[in-house]
C-alpha cells in the first residue's frame, strides 16, 4: 500500500507531516507530492522539499491525503489536477482522506454528499449534503475526514488502520499515544 500526501502552498504542517511520519514509522511507502513544485511553504512559513511533483505517477498509489491549512486547502480545492486525482481515487474505491479545511475539496466534488464527515469549524457549509459530525475523525466507506490540527495523530492512525491494521497498536505504543 502506498500513501500520497498532497502539498499545496499554505498547507498545515502538522496535518501533512504527521501523516507522513506515522506511515513511515509503520513501514508504509508514503510520498509527498507538491502540486506546483518541489519546494512548498506551509501556512506557518516552513518550507519543505516534497518527494515528488504531482504527476500521473500518483495513480499507482492507494491513498490520497489532503491536509488543511490556509490557503493550502483552497489551493487544493481550486486545482483541477488535484480534483481529477481525488475524483479518480474515490471512483476507484481508493481511500480519500482530508483533514481540517482539506475536506472542502471533497465537498466541491460531491464526495461527502450523503456521507458522515467532519472538518474544521466554519467550513461545514462547503461540505454540501454531508452529515456533519463534531468528532476528531470520521470514517464513511473509503472517505476519512479529520477535524483539525489536534486530530492529526488520530487521523493518521485511522488511515493506517485502514491499510495496515496490524501495525496500529505497535506504533501507538512506540509513540506513547495511549
Amino acid at each position: 500500500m502506498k500513501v500520497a500526501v498532497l502539498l499545496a502552498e499554505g498547507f498545515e504542517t502538522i496535518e501533512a507531516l504527521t501523516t507522513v511520519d506515522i506511515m513511515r514509522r509503520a513501514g508504509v511507502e508514503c510520498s509527498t507530492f507538491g502540486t506546483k513544485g518541489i519546494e512548498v511553504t506551509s501556512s506557518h512559513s516552513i518550507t519543505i522539499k516534497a518527494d515528488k511533483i504531482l504527476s500521473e505517477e500518483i495513480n499507482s498509489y492507494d491513498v490520497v491525503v489532503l491536509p488543511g491549512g490556509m490557503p493550502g486547502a483552497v489551493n487544493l480545492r481550486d486545482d483541477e489536477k488535484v480534483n481529477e486525482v481525488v475524483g479518480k481515487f474515490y471512483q476507484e474505491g481508493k481511500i480519500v482522506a482530508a483533514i481540517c479545511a482539506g475536506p472542502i475539496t471533497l465537498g466541491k466534488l460531491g464526495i461527502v454528499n450523503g456521507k458522515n464527515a467532519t472538518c474544521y469549524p466554519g467550513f461545514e457549509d462547503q461540505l454540501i449534503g454531508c452529515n456533519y459530525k463534531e468528532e476528531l475523525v470520521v470514517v464513511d466507506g473509503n472517505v476519512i475526514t479529520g477535524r483539525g490540527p489536534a486530530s492529526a495523530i488520530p487521523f493518521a492512525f485511522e488511515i493506517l488502520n485502514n491499510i495496515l491494521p496490524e501495525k496500529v497498536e505497535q506504533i501507538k505504543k512506540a509513540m506513547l499515544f495511549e
Side-chain angles (χ1 to χ4, degrees):
M1 291 294 231
K2 298 193 311 187
V3 176
V5 178
L6 301 182
L7 301 179
E9 287 293 315
F11 70 93
E12 170 54 57
T13 317
I14 291 171
E15 296 160 359
L17 298 183
T18 298
T19 300
V20 174
D21 183 271
I22 288 176
M23 294 306 123
R24 291 184 182 177
R25 284 174 192 257
V28 173
E29 184 177 336
C30 183
S31 302
T32 53
F33 284 81
T35 58
K36 300 293 184 204
I38 286 287
E39 285 198 354
V40 191
T41 303
S42 76
S43 56
H44 296 104
S45 303
I46 299 168
T47 301
I48 71 160
K49 183 178 174 187
D51 298 311
K52 305 165 186 287
I53 295 176
L54 185 57
S55 67
E56 293 299 314
E57 180 186 352
I58 199 166
N59 294 318
S60 70
Y61 282 69
D62 307 287
V63 179
V64 65
V65 179
L66 289 79
M70 281 303 192
V74 169
N75 289 336
L76 289 174
R77 181 198 65 201
D78 294 346
D79 186 316
E80 282 311 310
K81 203 172 191 180
V82 169
N83 289 323
E84 287 173 28
V85 167
V86 173
K88 185 174 179 3
F89 270 58
Y90 178 72
Q91 291 301 324
E92 292 176 355
K94 294 180 177 183
I95 295 171
V96 174
I99 184 170
C100 196
I104 64 176
T105 297
L106 309 185
K108 175 183 178 179
L109 298 174
I111 289 173
V112 292
N113 189 16
K115 290 199 175 290
N116 295 319
T118 193
C119 66
Y120 194 82
F123 290 94
E124 307 91 333
D125 63 330
Q126 294 187 53
L127 305 190
I128 300 158
C130 91
N131 180 20
Y132 183 75
K133 302 285 187 184
E134 287 187 6
E135 297 171 18
L136 285 181
V137 181
V138 176
V139 180
D140 193 333
N142 62 326
V143 178
I144 301 170
T145 51
R147 196 136 190 247
S151 61
I153 292 176
F155 174 76
F157 278 128
E158 191 56 55
I159 294 168
L160 185 60
N161 188 51
N162 277 265
I163 61 172
L164 201 59
E166 63 274 15
K167 283 286 199 171
V168 174
E169 289 310 313
Q170 174 192 342
I171 303 302
K172 280 183 175 181
K173 184 176 180 184
M175 292 179 65
L176 307 177
F177 186 69
E178 288 189 308

